[in-house]
Amino acid sequence: MMVMFWVVYKFFDPLSLESATKNSSAQFFSAITAPFYGLSSPRSHERVAVVAINDPTLQTFDAALPLSYQRQVFILRQILEADPAAIYVDFRMAYEHTDESLTQFQSVLDEAKSKHIPIFFARGEEGHDQIHLPAPLGDVESYSNALKASSAYPLLFETEEGPQEGGERVNEDAKPQANAAFDVYRSLCTSTWSGQCGSFHEDDFRSPMIIQWGLHVDPAQTQVSSLDNSPRNACAVPFSGGFFCRSIVQSFTLGFRAFWGSSRDYEVGHAYYPLTIGAHQLDERGLGTPAGSPPLSHLLKGRAVFYGTDIRDQHDDTIIPFLGRVPNVVLHAMAFDNLVTYGSNYFQEPPELELGRGIHIGWAEICEFVLWLIFTGWMAFKFYYSHPEVPHGRGAKLRHNIRRRSRNFLSLPLPVIAVVPAIFCTGLAAFDLSHLPVLRNCADEALLYVCLFLVLLGTLVLLRHSAQAPQSEDAEHGAEESEAEKAEKLRLGFWAHLALLTSLTGIVFALNELFIQWPNADWIGFILLWLAVGESCESTGFVLTFVNFLCRQLHALTSERVPNSESSSQ
Amino acid sequence: MKKILSLGLLCATILVSQAQAASTPTVSGVFEKTVHAFSESHAPLGQIPASDLMNQPVVGTDEETGLLKVQTAQGVVLVARAAVNTTMAAAAPRETSCSYIGSLSASGTGSSSGFASKCKQAGH
């Protein structure tokens, strides 16, 4: 019955319960994971930057959007002079201005080519009706999709393009079409960064990315902008701010706020993770730097630069859980930073299984389903063999053995029991920390596993108490149970169930972060339904009421179909 | 002798004035078709065509606003420094002005109209 509930919840999504839960829980998971993003990679932050046209830029330039090609060329030349690793221009120039020609960009393309700097121009969102950019930008066009409905960022597109109208253009490029961040990453990994990307295989990047966001700013951001506008930025500079800015403390405090839904007022004013510079600041020196310091454009050296708009009214933005509204040019830059940080082990949408007739089922769903089958199977097994009228056979013996062994285990001294979660957490911690290149991050990461150990240990202690209570009752009072004892047993059982749920969440979260790397929010439905399992045995509960109703209906139906067996026998 | 002296003086004057003209920076490019202009007393003059500014001498910088003073047929006008290209020798980079760059509320409440804004002075 619980499996049936799961199917209804998962696939029919009544009242959008599943999707709404996913969205709101994404807020919570972003809050607890964001303080840790980037700690595991020394290359995070260092390889990406955003140059933005923002309100102060337009004010300084005495200009309005769209900017003239002459202005765009001037800015791109400034960026090129800084020797960036690559440039992505997030302005869609699908149609020429009436009084300017796109050929003005030819000089920029030539200069980029001579300096071996890959450059791309946004073509817009992927789609069959999306037109190609006019010459000379057509050869360097790249899609600029934001997040899909599933909150995933596409990297590659399976587009089969025929000749365009008039047969002018045939797609001769064998490479699959890519989205902004991946196009830049692919071009660098197959050229100047070939030694830094490891073994690069394009097929490893087919699954859309679940972008992980960080809370820390690039250390150079303090030269560009002030962080004083928002208390959210008190801990934005990495490795500063003392105890309350430790990643583990931030994760707890932000997670606590997000858990209770009080994060809405918290999502304003976060400085962006990638270095972001206003285009008008490129020829200015940094805040607080002495006279004669180089201009801010020198910060772009060796980075992939994403150049676009950072203006709210352009509607070129996306709402990110916990962070609020973020410009899409920053989104592309963050996706690129995820690629640099994780390589092909980026967080991704689980792959899907094709069932035919356009029906797909994701591996996350399959995985959840299998887990549900195991759990519900175990519950049905326990429920069935605990009934006094069920004949004692192999099943009952097996249940008795399992129960006896688990009680034996739980009756061991606590230090002995603690060895099991200790080994589990040490194993995970050793695996995780061995991948950390910088030792200064180890303390926060290690503390996470200490927390997980404490949660598991707490659960075992509760289970131990609830297992010991019936034993002592058996010994002292026989089968008789007073109302107070029953209430105590129920209370212990409830807390043990809740602790088990917390432990399960912790284990799934740790395993997912380290190995599976699917969206954390995908598991929340599973966890919430597991919470309802305790309710399933309550006589007044919805589940049992529903089950009883179905049983009555089924019984009535079978009675109608089968003629009265008693009368027939007579 | 007088004739020779006066001819020499004339040549010298022409040479000096030409050298001075060559050293006077001019507007070498304008990024947009029109540019917002202000009078020397900072009164707005609306937008003037880019052609009115092209190749015109830059006679200085307004101390108060940092705008460029450009001599045009209509007189001296003030324009934004970043709105035009000039032949002036590149100055050392000046310190960037204080600004905030960051995310906005998804609901739009309690946030400014743009992702980036200039820092406000205390008490404003």
Side-chain angles (χ1 to χ4, degrees):
Chain A
M1 191 51 62
M2 290 306 291
V3 171
M4 198 185 86
F5 272 113
W6 178 84
V7 170
V8 171
Y9 178 81
K10 201 78 196 174
F11 295 101
F12 295 94
D13 199 10
L15 296 171
S16 304
L17 282 174
E18 152 84 350
S19 38
T21 312
K22 262 189 186 179
N23 288 339
S24 53
S25 59
Q27 187 105 333
F28 169 72
F29 284 114
S30 292
I32 60 173
T33 54
F36 291 97
Y37 176 80
L39 295 183
S40 60
S41 170
R43 303 205 310 151
S44 189
H45 262 149
E46 290 178 0
R47 300 303 171 93
V48 66
V50 172
V51 172
I53 302 292
N54 50 36
D55 282 317
T57 308
L58 294 180
Q59 209 175 344
T60 309
F61 285 173
D62 182 27
L65 290 175
L67 293 178
S68 66
Y69 295 154
Q70 197 181 345
R71 172 69 76 185
Q72 298 277 28
V73 168
F74 181 78
I75 295 168
L76 287 171
R77 283 191 173 283
Q78 279 185 303
I79 297 172
L80 275 170
E81 278 171 22
D83 288 326
I87 301 175
Y88 185 88
V89 182
D90 194 19
F91 288 96
R92 182 169 171 263
M93 301 185 196
Y95 305 98
E96 248 178 1
H97 290 179
T98 50
D99 54 347
E100 285 188 297
S101 169
L102 283 168
T103 52
Q104 289 188 58
F105 287 95
Q106 188 61 57
S107 61
V108 173
L109 299 181
D110 292 343
E111 192 177 335
K113 194 175 179 184
S114 68
K115 296 175 95 170
H116 304 288
I117 297 172
I119 186 167
F120 299 93
F121 282 75
R123 183 182 164 188
E125 294 218 336
E126 181 259 352
H128 295 300
D129 297 328
Q130 188 61 267
I131 60 167
H132 288 280
L133 297 184
L137 306 181
D139 295 333
V140 288
E141 65 186 12
S142 171
Y143 284 122
S144 54
N145 283 51
L147 300 184
K148 301 197 300 179
S150 62
S151 300
Y153 179 86
L155 297 179
L156 280 167
F157 303 106
E158 301 295 338
T159 48
E160 294 292 329
E161 293 186 350
Q164 225 191 0
E165 274 181 63
E168 292 165 8
R169 184 189 174 92
V170 180
N171 186 20
E172 294 161 1
D173 194 352
K175 284 195 294 188
Q177 297 290 308
N179 204 5
F182 186 68
D183 232 345
V184 174
Y185 185 71
R186 178 171 64 182
S187 66
L188 288 170
C189 285
T190 51
S191 59
T192 46
W193 287 6
S194 56
Q196 302 168 35
C197 297
S199 57
F200 176 81
H201 301 291
E202 197 167 279
D203 284 341
D204 296 341
F205 296 88
R206 294 212 172 263
S207 290
M209 171 190 281
I210 304 297
I211 300 177
Q212 303 296 296
W213 288 81
L215 284 184
H216 295 132
V217 297
D218 190 290
Q221 187 68 42
T222 50
Q223 290 183 44
V224 180
S225 61
S226 169
L227 302 174
D228 296 337
N229 64 321
S230 164
R232 294 35 140 190
N233 294 328
C235 300
V237 179
F239 308 109
S240 68
F243 174 76
F244 289 103
C245 289
R246 303 290 310 194
S247 298
I248 182 94
V249 181
Q250 267 198 297
S251 180
F252 271 106
T253 50
L254 298 178
F256 184 79
R257 289 181 69 97
F259 187 82
W260 297 108
S262 58
S263 58
R264 295 227 172 272
D265 61 330
Y266 220 71
E267 60 180 16
V268 190
H270 284 285
Y272 306 130
Y273 187 86
L275 174 69
T276 307
I277 307 175
H280 64 289
Q281 296 177 288
L282 290 175
D283 60 355
E284 297 173 343
R285 65 182 160 84
L287 286 169
T289 55
S293 299
L296 289 170
S297 59
H298 86 281
L299 297 173
L300 305 179
K301 188 177 170 64
R303 298 177 189 244
V305 176
F306 290 80
Y307 166 53
T309 55
D310 187 4
I311 296 171
R312 182 184 191 177
D313 295 335
Q314 286 300 108
H315 306 292
D316 190 14
D317 51 50
T318 299
I319 294 172
I320 303 297
F322 190 68
L323 295 181
R325 200 180 292 271
V326 169
N328 282 342
V329 65
V330 176
L331 181 87
H332 295 310
M334 197 65 217
F336 179 82
D337 195 85
N338 273 237
L339 288 169
V340 170
T341 303
Y342 298 120
S344 58
N345 295 320
Y346 61 94
F347 281 69
Q348 54 193 261
E349 261 191 343
E352 287 189 331
L353 200 67
E354 175 78 50
L355 298 178
R357 296 187 181 182
I359 301 171
H360 302 265
I361 182 164
W363 276 103
E365 273 89 30
I366 293 172
C367 197
E368 268 186 57
F369 182 72
V370 170
L371 283 171
W372 261 112
L373 274 184
I374 294 169
F375 283 129
T376 49
W378 168 241
M379 282 174 61
F381 175 74
K382 264 174 64 174
F383 187 73
Y384 181 75
Y385 283 106
S386 64
H387 204 275
E389 290 175 17
V390 171
H392 287 258
R394 287 179 65 185
K397 199 176 173 186
L398 181 67
R399 182 180 179 271
H400 178 73
N401 282 341
I402 292 171
R403 198 175 177 186
R404 185 171 50 79
R405 281 183 189 171
S406 63
R407 278 190 175 176
N408 286 345
F409 171 71
L410 290 170
S411 61
L412 290 169
L414 195 60
V416 179
I417 293 178
V419 170
V420 177
I423 291 172
F424 177 72
C425 292
T426 310
L428 287 184
F431 177 82
D432 189 9
L433 298 183
S434 65
H435 287 76
L436 278 187
V438 188
L439 281 175
R440 65 181 172 174
N441 305 331
C442 281
D444 286 290
E445 294 273 333
L447 275 173
L448 266 186
Y449 294 101
V450 173
C451 293
L452 179 62
F453 168 72
L454 291 176
V455 168
L456 296 183
L457 189 65
T459 306
L460 284 173
V461 168
L462 274 170
L463 287 173
R464 195 162 174 257
H465 277 293
S466 60
Q468 278 173 351
Q471 272 185 337
S472 56
E473 283 156 14
D474 289 346
E476 291 168 21
H477 309 290
E480 291 297 316
E481 260 184 350
S482 70
E483 285 302 315
E485 283 166 341
K486 276 182 185 172
E488 173 66 10
K489 195 175 164 185
L490 201 66
R491 192 180 65 82
L492 272 173
F494 170 75
W495 285 113
H497 182 73
L498 201 64
L500 200 64
L501 179 73
T502 314
S503 301
L504 196 71
T505 311
I507 292 169
V508 169
F509 180 71
L511 293 177
N512 188 55
E513 286 286 308
L514 286 179
F515 304 108
I516 310 171
Q517 294 175 325
W518 288 346
N520 280 306
D522 270 14
W523 299 98
I524 203 74
F526 168 71
I527 290 164
L528 286 179
L529 268 181
W530 181 242
L531 191 65
V533 164
E535 194 254 9
S536 65
C537 297
E538 290 175 20
S539 57
T540 53
F542 171 73
V543 176
L544 206 61
T545 311
F546 187 72
V547 171
N548 288 339
F549 170 77
L550 274 185
C551 287
R552 276 200 303 274
Q553 293 299 315
L554 202 67
H555 185 255
L557 200 69
T558 47
S559 309
E560 278 173 19
R561 281 191 181 175
V562 180
N564 194 332
S565 55
E566 286 178 14
S567 59
S568 63
S569 63
Q570 284 170 2
Chain B
M1 186 64 182
K2 258 188 177 179
K3 277 185 179 175
I4 295 169
L5 276 173
S6 55
L7 196 65
L9 195 65
L10 185 68
C11 288
T13 311
I14 291 169
L15 280 171
V16 168
S17 63
Q18 277 193 338
Q20 199 176 10
S23 65
T24 304
T26 55
V27 174
S28 58
V30 184
F31 290 107
E32 306 294 334
K33 284 178 284 184
T34 58
V35 178
H36 279 109
F38 301 87
S39 71
E40 283 192 277
S41 59
H42 305 140
L45 299 175
Q47 298 198 23
I48 60 170
S51 55
D52 286 5
L53 293 169
M54 279 300 290
N55 302 316
Q56 298 301 310
V58 179
V59 294
T61 306
D62 185 64
E63 293 292 328
E64 196 181 327
T65 58
L67 297 173
L68 284 183
K69 288 180 179 176
V70 181
Q71 182 69 54
T72 66
Q74 290 79 35
V76 174
V77 296
L78 307 182
V79 295
R81 185 187 287 267
V84 294
N85 260 335
T86 68
T87 58
M88 291 166 80
R94 58 181 177 167
E95 186 175 353
T96 191
S97 53
C98 180
S99 62
Y100 303 127
I101 302 175
S103 63
L104 296 176
S105 164
S107 59
T109 54
S111 59
S112 65
S113 58
F115 292 101
S117 58
K118 290 191 170 171
C119 301
K120 292 184 180 73
Q121 298 294 319
H124 283 252

mmCIF file of all heavy atoms in Angstrom, chain A residues 423-433 449 452 507 510-511 514-515:
data_model
loop_
_atom_site.group_PDB
_atom_site.id
_atom_site.type_symbol
_atom_site.label_atom_id
_atom_site.label_comp_id
_atom_site.label_asym_id
_atom_site.label_seq_id
_atom_site.Cartn_x
_atom_site.Cartn_y
_atom_site.Cartn_z
ATOM 1 N N ILE A 423 33.288 3.247 12.427
ATOM 2 C CA ILE A 423 33.986 2.706 11.242
ATOM 3 C C ILE A 423 33.377 3.293 9.972
ATOM 4 O O ILE A 423 34.083 3.713 9.052
ATOM 5 C CB ILE A 423 33.911 1.163 11.224
ATOM 6 C CG1 ILE A 423 34.760 0.593 12.368
ATOM 7 C CG2 ILE A 423 34.359 0.608 9.879
ATOM 8 C CD1 ILE A 423 34.609 -0.896 12.566
ATOM 9 N N PHE A 424 32.033 3.343 9.941
ATOM 10 C CA PHE A 424 31.334 3.870 8.767
ATOM 11 C C PHE A 424 31.747 5.323 8.492
ATOM 12 O O PHE A 424 32.116 5.680 7.363
ATOM 13 C CB PHE A 424 29.818 3.773 9.002
ATOM 14 C CG PHE A 424 28.989 4.347 7.898
ATOM 15 C CD1 PHE A 424 28.885 3.696 6.675
ATOM 16 C CD2 PHE A 424 28.306 5.544 8.067
ATOM 17 C CE1 PHE A 424 28.121 4.239 5.651
ATOM 18 C CE2 PHE A 424 27.536 6.088 7.048
ATOM 19 C CZ PHE A 424 27.444 5.422 5.840
ATOM 20 N N CYS A 425 31.711 6.159 9.546
ATOM 21 C CA CYS A 425 32.016 7.587 9.369
ATOM 22 C C CYS A 425 33.504 7.797 9.066
ATOM 23 O O CYS A 425 33.857 8.660 8.262
ATOM 24 C CB CYS A 425 31.623 8.383 10.615
ATOM 25 S SG CYS A 425 29.850 8.431 10.844
ATOM 26 N N THR A 426 34.370 6.991 9.695
ATOM 27 C CA THR A 426 35.805 7.135 9.423
ATOM 28 C C THR A 426 36.105 6.782 7.970
ATOM 29 O O THR A 426 36.911 7.445 7.314
ATOM 30 C CB THR A 426 36.615 6.221 10.369
ATOM 31 O OG1 THR A 426 36.168 6.432 11.693
ATOM 32 C CG2 THR A 426 38.096 6.500 10.278
ATOM 33 N N GLY A 427 35.442 5.737 7.493
ATOM 34 C CA GLY A 427 35.638 5.333 6.094
ATOM 35 C C GLY A 427 35.251 6.448 5.135
ATOM 36 O O GLY A 427 36.005 6.796 4.215
ATOM 37 N N LEU A 428 34.066 7.028 5.376
ATOM 38 C CA LEU A 428 33.608 8.121 4.511
ATOM 39 C C LEU A 428 34.554 9.320 4.603
ATOM 40 O O LEU A 428 34.914 9.927 3.588
ATOM 41 C CB LEU A 428 32.199 8.560 4.919
ATOM 42 C CG LEU A 428 31.037 7.642 4.577
ATOM 43 C CD1 LEU A 428 29.722 8.303 4.966
ATOM 44 C CD2 LEU A 428 31.006 7.303 3.097
ATOM 45 N N ALA A 429 34.947 9.649 5.845
ATOM 46 C CA ALA A 429 35.817 10.814 6.050
ATOM 47 C C ALA A 429 37.167 10.608 5.367
ATOM 48 O O ALA A 429 37.689 11.521 4.719
ATOM 49 C CB ALA A 429 36.013 11.061 7.539
ATOM 50 N N ALA A 430 37.699 9.389 5.485
ATOM 51 C CA ALA A 430 39.003 9.115 4.862
ATOM 52 C C ALA A 430 38.906 9.273 3.350
ATOM 53 O O ALA A 430 39.784 9.865 2.717
ATOM 54 C CB ALA A 430 39.450 7.703 5.227
ATOM 55 N N PHE A 431 37.802 8.762 2.790
ATOM 56 C CA PHE A 431 37.622 8.882 1.337
ATOM 57 C C PHE A 431 37.519 10.347 0.930
ATOM 58 O O PHE A 431 38.144 10.786 -0.034
ATOM 59 C CB PHE A 431 36.358 8.129 0.914
ATOM 60 C CG PHE A 431 36.053 8.258 -0.552
ATOM 61 C CD1 PHE A 431 36.701 7.446 -1.475
ATOM 62 C CD2 PHE A 431 35.144 9.205 -1.005
ATOM 63 C CE1 PHE A 431 36.432 7.579 -2.835
ATOM 64 C CE2 PHE A 431 34.878 9.339 -2.361
ATOM 65 C CZ PHE A 431 35.529 8.521 -3.272
ATOM 66 N N ASP A 432 36.727 11.097 1.691
ATOM 67 C CA ASP A 432 36.488 12.501 1.350
ATOM 68 C C ASP A 432 37.760 13.342 1.527
ATOM 69 O O ASP A 432 38.167 14.080 0.624
ATOM 70 C CB ASP A 432 35.369 13.045 2.252
ATOM 71 C CG ASP A 432 34.902 14.418 1.812
ATOM 72 O OD1 ASP A 432 35.307 14.867 0.735
ATOM 73 O OD2 ASP A 432 34.141 15.059 2.551
ATOM 74 N N LEU A 433 38.393 13.200 2.677
ATOM 75 C CA LEU A 433 39.550 14.057 2.974
ATOM 76 C C LEU A 433 40.743 13.736 2.082
ATOM 77 O O LEU A 433 41.577 14.603 1.826
ATOM 78 C CB LEU A 433 39.946 13.936 4.448
ATOM 79 C CG LEU A 433 38.879 14.374 5.455
ATOM 80 C CD1 LEU A 433 39.400 14.276 6.881
ATOM 81 C CD2 LEU A 433 38.425 15.795 5.188
ATOM 82 N N TYR A 449 31.693 14.796 9.595
ATOM 83 C CA TYR A 449 31.584 13.358 9.848
ATOM 84 C C TYR A 449 31.451 13.068 11.343
ATOM 85 O O TYR A 449 30.843 12.080 11.728
ATOM 86 C CB TYR A 449 32.789 12.632 9.231
ATOM 87 C CG TYR A 449 32.742 12.746 7.734
ATOM 88 C CD1 TYR A 449 33.528 13.675 7.050
ATOM 89 C CD2 TYR A 449 31.849 11.980 6.997
ATOM 90 C CE1 TYR A 449 33.442 13.815 5.686
ATOM 91 C CE2 TYR A 449 31.756 12.115 5.625
ATOM 92 C CZ TYR A 449 32.553 13.035 4.973
ATOM 93 O OH TYR A 449 32.436 13.169 3.618
ATOM 94 N N LEU A 452 27.807 13.465 11.853
ATOM 95 C CA LEU A 452 27.095 12.293 11.350
ATOM 96 C C LEU A 452 27.237 11.137 12.335
ATOM 97 O O LEU A 452 26.271 10.426 12.632
ATOM 98 C CB LEU A 452 27.652 11.890 9.971
ATOM 99 C CG LEU A 452 27.009 10.667 9.329
ATOM 100 C CD1 LEU A 452 25.520 10.896 9.067
ATOM 101 C CD2 LEU A 452 27.704 10.297 8.022
ATOM 102 N N ILE A 507 22.825 9.632 6.289
ATOM 103 C CA ILE A 507 23.582 8.636 5.511
ATOM 104 C C ILE A 507 23.377 8.860 4.018
ATOM 105 O O ILE A 507 24.329 8.893 3.232
ATOM 106 C CB ILE A 507 23.151 7.203 5.914
ATOM 107 C CG1 ILE A 507 23.602 6.905 7.347
ATOM 108 C CG2 ILE A 507 23.731 6.173 4.966
ATOM 109 C CD1 ILE A 507 23.013 5.640 7.931
ATOM 110 N N ALA A 510 25.217 11.981 2.898
ATOM 111 C CA ALA A 510 26.672 11.798 2.798
ATOM 112 C C ALA A 510 27.040 10.946 1.583
ATOM 113 O O ALA A 510 27.958 11.286 0.826
ATOM 114 C CB ALA A 510 27.185 11.148 4.073
ATOM 115 N N LEU A 511 26.292 9.847 1.387
ATOM 116 C CA LEU A 511 26.596 8.972 0.247
ATOM 117 C C LEU A 511 26.346 9.695 -1.073
ATOM 118 O O LEU A 511 27.108 9.556 -2.028
ATOM 119 C CB LEU A 511 25.754 7.695 0.316
ATOM 120 C CG LEU A 511 26.072 6.757 1.488
ATOM 121 C CD1 LEU A 511 25.127 5.568 1.495
ATOM 122 C CD2 LEU A 511 27.519 6.268 1.411
ATOM 123 N N LEU A 514 29.113 12.231 -1.782
ATOM 124 C CA LEU A 514 30.415 11.654 -2.106
ATOM 125 C C LEU A 514 30.410 10.822 -3.377
ATOM 126 O O LEU A 514 31.363 10.856 -4.145
ATOM 127 C CB LEU A 514 30.893 10.777 -0.944
ATOM 128 C CG LEU A 514 31.386 11.518 0.293
ATOM 129 C CD1 LEU A 514 31.794 10.546 1.368
ATOM 130 C CD2 LEU A 514 32.570 12.414 -0.053
ATOM 131 N N PHE A 515 29.339 10.056 -3.583
ATOM 132 C CA PHE A 515 29.396 9.082 -4.671
ATOM 133 C C PHE A 515 28.341 9.299 -5.761
ATOM 134 O O PHE A 515 28.675 9.315 -6.938
ATOM 135 C CB PHE A 515 29.226 7.661 -4.114
ATOM 136 C CG PHE A 515 30.230 7.324 -3.049
ATOM 137 C CD1 PHE A 515 29.855 7.233 -1.726
ATOM 138 C CD2 PHE A 515 31.570 7.104 -3.378
ATOM 139 C CE1 PHE A 515 30.786 6.929 -0.740
ATOM 140 C CE2 PHE A 515 32.501 6.808 -2.398
ATOM 141 C CZ PHE A 515 32.119 6.717 -1.078
#
